[in-house]
Amino acid sequence: DIQLTQSPSFLSASVGDRVTITCRASQGISSYLAWYQTAPGKAPKLLIYAASTLQSGVPSRFSGSGSGTAFTLTISSLQPEDFATYYCLQHNTYPRTFGQGTKVEIK
Amino acid sequence: QVQLQESGPGLVKPSETLSLTCTVSGGSFSSYYWSWIRQPPGKGLEWIGYIYYSGTTNYNSSLKSRVTISIDTSKNQFSLRLSSVTAADTAVYYCAREIVPWDGSGIFYFDSWGQGTLVTVSS
């Protein structure tokens, strides 16, 4: 199975900050990576797919980059509704596997 | 806009079978893979498996011996059965729709999820 390692696991930031989350794959996955936002009691929300394609309706402050084994999710200016947990997910092979998550909290 | 809703018992006894159903509304049932994903308390997400409307399935090998996913196209529902459960199966269970790249692009992704349902395994 492909292992995804996210860093950091926890991030404390303020509204307006630029935030970057990294996801590294144990083997090359081309651009077959997606990013999701989760919050308690809510359905996970797709932010980015194919490493850098913004899902329709997602604010442009979210962006993704990378290919192969190294990927990043960037939030250019953190908003109050962005305090949540973020996961990367590889769609290169089955079984689908997720990173361990990055919790973004208010400083 | 498609909506997914999980339903089923919130409490299951050890050694028994966990059964959940996902009802899909507002969209086509064909052309997608329909998946189950779970998240134990305080832990990460784990993909369980998917079913296609034809009945084709694909399961995570870590659970394959205990998992069955079935589909009822007449009701726009698909279901999960997990047998011989233990406390380690306590989790929030999500159903999700996976986009399948019939155009040959190779780009899959889960675009829609249910809100999730907590299933606790306890006597």
Side-chain angles (χ1 to χ4, degrees), chain A residues 49-70:
Chain A
Y49 64 92
S52 61
T53 302
L54 192 69
Q55 170 70 346
S56 175
V58 174
S60 59
R61 62 181 179 273
F62 290 93
S63 63
S65 65
S67 66
T69 61

Side-chain angles (χ1 to χ4, degrees), chain B residues 15-104:
Chain B
S15 80
E16 295 190 345
T17 296
L18 178 159
S19 295
L20 295 173
T21 295
C22 182
T23 301
V24 180
S25 59
S28 169
F29 207 53
S30 61
S31 305
Y32 303 98
Y33 291 166
W34 300 96
S35 283
W36 288 99
I37 295 160
R38 71 179 182 177
Q39 184 171 29
K43 296 188 178 181
L45 293 153
E46 179 181 32
W47 176 79
I48 298 170
Y50 75 70
I51 190 164
Y52 183 50
Y53 87 105
S54 65
T56 300
T57 56
N58 188 357
Y59 301 138
N60 194 323
S61 59
S62 66
L63 297 167
K64 190 172 185 176
S65 63
R66 299 194 291 129
V67 169
T68 302
I69 299 177
S70 58
I71 197 164
D72 185 339
T73 55
S74 67
K75 295 181 179 179
N76 274 18
Q77 293 178 333
F78 62 106
S79 299
L80 169 70
R81 288 173 58 85
L82 182 66
S83 64
S84 305
V85 298
T86 69
D89 295 309
T90 293
V92 174
Y93 286 77
Y94 297 98
C95 55
R97 183 178 81 170
E98 186 170 21
I99 298 294
V100 181
W102 302 111
D103 61 357

